[in-house]
């Protein structure tokens, strides 16, 4: 087993946009909606909670049960969940996330306010009757909800399950302990109607940038390019083939999603090491995703299509 300080891994649990899908033709890449697990220096960070988080929750509970023979000797589940925004495909798995059914679990969940609603209200209203038999305040685990804004930074310290959120200036970030995990975000308005948060997780000079539900701009989104500069991994929305994006009959322009070519442009201009195309349209079967993956490599060689179960190690 790796020393936890040597751990900076990502695993994909859901790679689809819009809605989940199930058929023989999507078995290679998977049919669940957005969810990525990041394990870094002993912390569990989960980005987005689409239907993919359900299988991840089962895995976490399995590990929890295996960690001790009696309840009192088990290692409680601690996780930090980051929500890019609160469209269904990014939150639909929350009610079925098994760790919330265990009273020792502690979940810190971060997401954006919208123009009209606080993040806390969006989530508590979502988990309530008549949409679900359990109200948010009946969840037995400790689930803390926090609004997350671009000016803020989340810091996860090594030996602590507690976290800090505050506005850190450049000097303060440089003075953090070397093994602190730092999470920052920017907001993109390129997703209707309330925009979306783009996350960066940094640890020991390495970083992952998660840019789902974004649409390309002419020349690339400069703010995103600067934010993702020299990242190890860029996970980028690639929902539509160009011909569907620009279709004359049912165009997808303005839906707030990208083509793989737009993702590759950002990867190139930001000089990232590896691009993962992600948030794939649920109408595309494995064959179409394979074509997307092969085509985009012409624009950015080190590209892979996300698929359920795909793991990438950064250290
Ligand atoms: Zn989405
Ligand atoms: Zn969305």
């Amino acid at each position: 087993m790796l020393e936890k300080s040597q751990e900076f891994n990502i695993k994909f649990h859901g790679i689809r946009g819009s809605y989940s899908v199930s058929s023989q033709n999507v078995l290679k890449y998977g049919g669940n909606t957005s969810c990525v697990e990041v394990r870094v220096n002993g912390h569990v960070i989960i980005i987005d909670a689409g239907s993919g988080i359900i299988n991840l929750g089962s895995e976490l509970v399995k590990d929890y049960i295996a960690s001790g023979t009696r309840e009192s000797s088990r290692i409680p589940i601690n996780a930090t969940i980051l929500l890019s925004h609160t469209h269904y495909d990014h939150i639909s798995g929350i009610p079925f996330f098994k760790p919330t059914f265990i009273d020792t679990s502690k979940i810190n969940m971060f997401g954006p306010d919208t123009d009209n609603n606080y993040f806390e209200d969006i989530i508590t209203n979502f988990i309530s009757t008549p949409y679900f038999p359990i109200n948010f305040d009946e969840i037995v685990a400790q689930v803390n909800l926090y609004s997350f804004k671009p000016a803020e930074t989340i810091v996860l310290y090594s030996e602590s399950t507690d976290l800090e959120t505050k506005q850190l200036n450049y000097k303060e970030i440089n003075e953090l302990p070397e093994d602190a995990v730092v999470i920052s975000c920017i907001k993109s308005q390129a997703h209707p109607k309330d925009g979306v948060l783009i996350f960066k997780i940094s640890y020991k000079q390495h970083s992952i940038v998660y840019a789902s539900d974004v649409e390309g701009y002419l020349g690339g989104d400069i703010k995103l390019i600067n934010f993702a500069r020299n990242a190890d991994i860029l996970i980028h929305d690639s929902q539509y083939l160009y011909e569907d994006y620009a279709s004359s009959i049912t165009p997808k322009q303005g839906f707030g999603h990208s083509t793989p070519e737009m993702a590759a442009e950002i990867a190139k201009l930001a000089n990232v090491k590896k691009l993962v195309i992600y948030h794939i349209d649920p109408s595309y079967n494995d064959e179409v995703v394979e074509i997307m993956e092969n085509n985009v490599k012409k624009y950015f060689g080190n590209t892979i299509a996300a698929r359920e179960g795909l793991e990438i190690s950064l250290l």
Side-chain angles (χ1 to χ4, degrees), residues 85 89-90 213 279:
H85 62 314
D89 50 330
H90 300 259
D213 297 65
H279 201 277

Side-chain angles (χ1 to χ4, degrees), residues 88-114:
Y88 287 136
D89 50 330
H90 300 259
I91 62 169
S92 63
I94 297 173
F96 309 101
F97 184 52
K98 267 193 198 160
T100 61
F101 300 126
I102 298 171
D103 61 6
T104 56
S105 301
K106 184 176 170 189
I107 318 287
N108 292 310
M109 195 182 294
F110 293 83
D113 298 332
T114 64

Side-chain angles (χ1 to χ4, degrees), residues 1-12:
M1 214 155 115
L2 278 178
E3 277 285 302
K4 75 175 184 138
S5 65
Q6 287 303 315
E7 176 191 58
F8 195 0
N9 302 322
I10 53 183
K11 184 175 177 185
F12 291 83

Side-chain angles (χ1 to χ4, degrees), residues 200-305:
K200 177 156 64 184
I201 301 174
S202 306
Y203 175 63
K204 289 190 172 176
Q205 319 293 328
H206 294 274
S207 62
I208 299 166
V209 171
Y210 178 95
S212 189
D213 297 65
V214 292
E215 185 164 349
Y217 292 136
L218 182 66
D221 179 340
I222 310 291
K223 205 162 83 169
L224 170 55
I225 293 164
N226 287 335
F227 188 65
R229 177 105 41 222
N230 300 325
D232 293 72
I233 309 273
L234 170 64
I235 301 167
H236 195 290
D237 190 299
S238 297
Q239 177 134 350
Y240 300 121
L241 289 167
Y242 177 77
E243 55 259 44
D244 287 336
Y245 180 81
S247 154
S248 62
I249 300 161
T250 53
K252 305 292 193 298
Q253 279 179 352
F255 282 23
H257 298 292
S258 294
T259 65
E261 291 80 7
M262 289 172 182
E265 184 178 33
I266 300 291
K268 202 182 284 183
L269 293 171
N271 192 38
V272 304
K273 292 196 182 77
K274 190 183 193 75
L275 168 66
V276 183
I277 57 170
Y278 178 73
H279 201 277
I280 305 296
D281 195 80
S283 70
Y284 296 159
N285 62 27
D286 288 335
E287 208 178 322
V288 176
V289 185
E290 271 170 19
I291 292 168
M292 269 179 151
E293 190 176 18
N294 288 332
N295 283 348
V296 72
K297 282 181 179 166
K298 292 176 202 147
Y299 299 93
F300 191 81
N302 196 6
T303 300
I304 190 167

Side-chain angles (χ1 to χ4, degrees), residues 20 40 251:
S20 51
V40 52

Side-chain angles (χ1 to χ4, degrees), residues 33-291:
T33 58
S34 309
C35 180
V36 178
E37 172 190 7
V38 179
R39 297 281 187 137
V40 52
N41 196 19
H43 302 287
V44 179
I45 302 169
I46 301 165
I47 314 180
D48 279 332
S51 63
I53 202 175
I54 301 168
N55 286 336
L56 166 56
S58 300
E59 288 179 18
L60 291 171
V61 169
K62 208 170 138 198
D63 291 348
Y64 165 74
I65 291 168
S67 71
T69 46
R70 284 171 298 114
E71 202 181 327
S72 58
S73 63
R74 289 181 182 140
I75 303 165
I77 297 169
N78 282 296
T80 301
I81 299 181
L82 309 172
L83 300 180
S84 60
H85 62 314
T86 46
H87 287 167
Y88 287 136
D89 50 330
H90 300 259
I91 62 169
S92 63
I94 297 173
F96 309 101
F97 184 52
K98 267 193 198 160
T100 61
F101 300 126
I102 298 171
D103 61 6
T104 56
S105 301
K106 184 176 170 189
I107 318 287
N108 292 310
M109 195 182 294
F110 293 83
D113 298 332
T114 64
D115 284 349
N116 297 317
N117 294 288
Y118 289 113
F119 173 68
E120 186 178 345
D121 294 335
I122 298 168
I123 299 300
T124 49
N125 289 334
F126 176 63
I127 304 175
S128 67
T129 53
Y131 309 111
F132 194 62
I134 295 168
N135 288 315
F136 184 83
D137 60 11
E138 294 172 281
I139 292 175
V140 298
Q142 184 186 340
V143 182
N144 304 312
L145 301 173
Y146 302 97
S147 296
F148 193 35
K149 298 177 190 70
E152 294 171 340
T153 306
I154 302 166
V155 181
L156 302 172
Y157 290 100
S158 185
E159 297 301 330
S160 164
T161 59
D162 284 331
L163 45 83
E164 234 174 61
T165 44
K166 56 182 181 180
Q167 298 188 15
L168 292 171
N169 63 35
Y170 184 72
K171 182 168 169 283
E172 286 168 324
I173 286 178
N174 279 315
E175 284 170 356
L176 289 172
E178 197 215 357
D179 60 357
V181 176
V182 178
I183 303 167
S184 53
C185 72
I186 55 171
K187 185 167 183 178
S188 166
Q189 292 297 348
H191 195 63
K193 294 177 175 168
D194 291 290
V196 64
L197 295 181
I198 296 172
F199 298 115
K200 177 156 64 184
I201 301 174
S202 306
Y203 175 63
K204 289 190 172 176
Q205 319 293 328
H206 294 274
S207 62
I208 299 166
V209 171
Y210 178 95
S212 189
D213 297 65
V214 292
E215 185 164 349
Y217 292 136
L218 182 66
D221 179 340
I222 310 291
K223 205 162 83 169
L224 170 55
I225 293 164
N226 287 335
F227 188 65
R229 177 105 41 222
N230 300 325
D232 293 72
I233 309 273
L234 170 64
I235 301 167
H236 195 290
D237 190 299
S238 297
Q239 177 134 350
Y240 300 121
L241 289 167
Y242 177 77
E243 55 259 44
D244 287 336
Y245 180 81
S247 154
S248 62
I249 300 161
T250 53
K252 305 292 193 298
Q253 279 179 352
F255 282 23
H257 298 292
S258 294
T259 65
E261 291 80 7
M262 289 172 182
E265 184 178 33
I266 300 291
K268 202 182 284 183
L269 293 171
N271 192 38
V272 304
K273 292 196 182 77
K274 190 183 193 75
L275 168 66
V276 183
I277 57 170
Y278 178 73
H279 201 277
I280 305 296
D281 195 80
S283 70
Y284 296 159
N285 62 27
D286 288 335
E287 208 178 322
V288 176
V289 185
E290 271 170 19
I291 292 168

